[in-house]
């Protein structure tokens, strides 16, 4: 059901975006998949370029003792709130007791939501100035994204922080060089989420290896320094 709802949402957004795209001199997107999509949709009438996001160096060098087994990051609007509710009801609540420690960071929770979190001993913080220290303190970022567009910034940040990401395949959209079980763990169903979370929590060395590999991938392909030359070159082209 969630996937159908998100598909409808994506279709609605596509209609809105089409009108805006017609007015643009060029369109910058985050992945080759999106370049292909827009070129096909607009019969190559648009100048579409791939310009990936970068990650702050703050995420590359920190470390900390782990205080949380799981972390979820996202504003609790309709989209991410539905994802979080799906995860809590279908994955987290089915984990063996005592359940892993879990922190949720993101504004928008109602009083009812907060009481629900408390009933499951889930910690909730609506806002933090910087997320890096929380990624450093967490073993796993859970990322039930289930949408087919965009690169997910929180996934990049967690990977750069050597925090293992367990997410569906769309959580890793646009991450060049990503390999499942090397740089993160793909889980496309309730049972797979449960399996992969248990795998990481029960294997400290595996968690360390995946965390280091994901951080190295981010440093290589997603540092802002790796973006500078391409951005300057593109800027020169479109200034003409």
């Amino acid at each position: 059901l969630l996937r159908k709802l998100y598909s409808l949402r994506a279709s609605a957004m596509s209609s809105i975006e089409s009108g805006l795209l017609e007015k643009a001199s060029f369109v910058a997107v985050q992945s080759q998949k999106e370049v292909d999509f827009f070129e096909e949709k607009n019969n190559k009438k648009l100048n579409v370029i791939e310009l990936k996001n970068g990650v702050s160096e703050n995420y590359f060098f920190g470390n900390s003792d782990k205080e949380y087994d799981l972390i979820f990051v996202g504003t609790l609007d309709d989209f991410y709130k539905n994802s979080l509710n799906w995860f809590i009801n279908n994955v987290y609540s089915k984990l063996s007791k005592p359940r892993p420690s879990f922190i949720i960071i993101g504004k928008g929770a109602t009083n009812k939501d907060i009481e629900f979190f408390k009933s499951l001993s889930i910690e909730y913080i609506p806002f933090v100035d910087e997320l890096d220290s929380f990624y450093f303190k967490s073993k796993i970022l859970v990322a039930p994204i289930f949408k087919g567009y965009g690169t997910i910034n929180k996934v990049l940040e967690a990977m750069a922080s050597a925090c293992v990401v367990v997410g569906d395949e769309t959580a890793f959209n646009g991450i060049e060089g990503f390999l499942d079980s090397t740089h993160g763990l793909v889980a496309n169903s309730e049972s797979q989420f449960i399996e992969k979370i248990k795998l990481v929590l029960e294997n400290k060395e595996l968690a360390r290896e995946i965390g280091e590999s994901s951080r190295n991938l981010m440093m290589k392909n997603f540092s802002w320094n790796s973006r500078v030359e391409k951005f300057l070159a593109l800027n020169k082209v479109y200034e003409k």
Side-chain angles (χ1 to χ4, degrees), residues 2-20:
L2 275 177
R3 294 189 183 188
K4 290 181 180 178
L5 290 173
Y6 296 157
S7 177
L8 290 172
R9 175 188 169 117
S11 296
M13 290 181 68
S14 177
S15 177
I16 295 169
E17 289 171 350
S18 294
L20 297 174

Side-chain angles (χ1 to χ4, degrees), residues 16-29:
I16 295 169
E17 289 171 350
S18 294
L20 297 174
L21 293 176
E22 293 174 359
K23 303 175 183 179
S25 300
F26 71 94
V27 179
V29 295

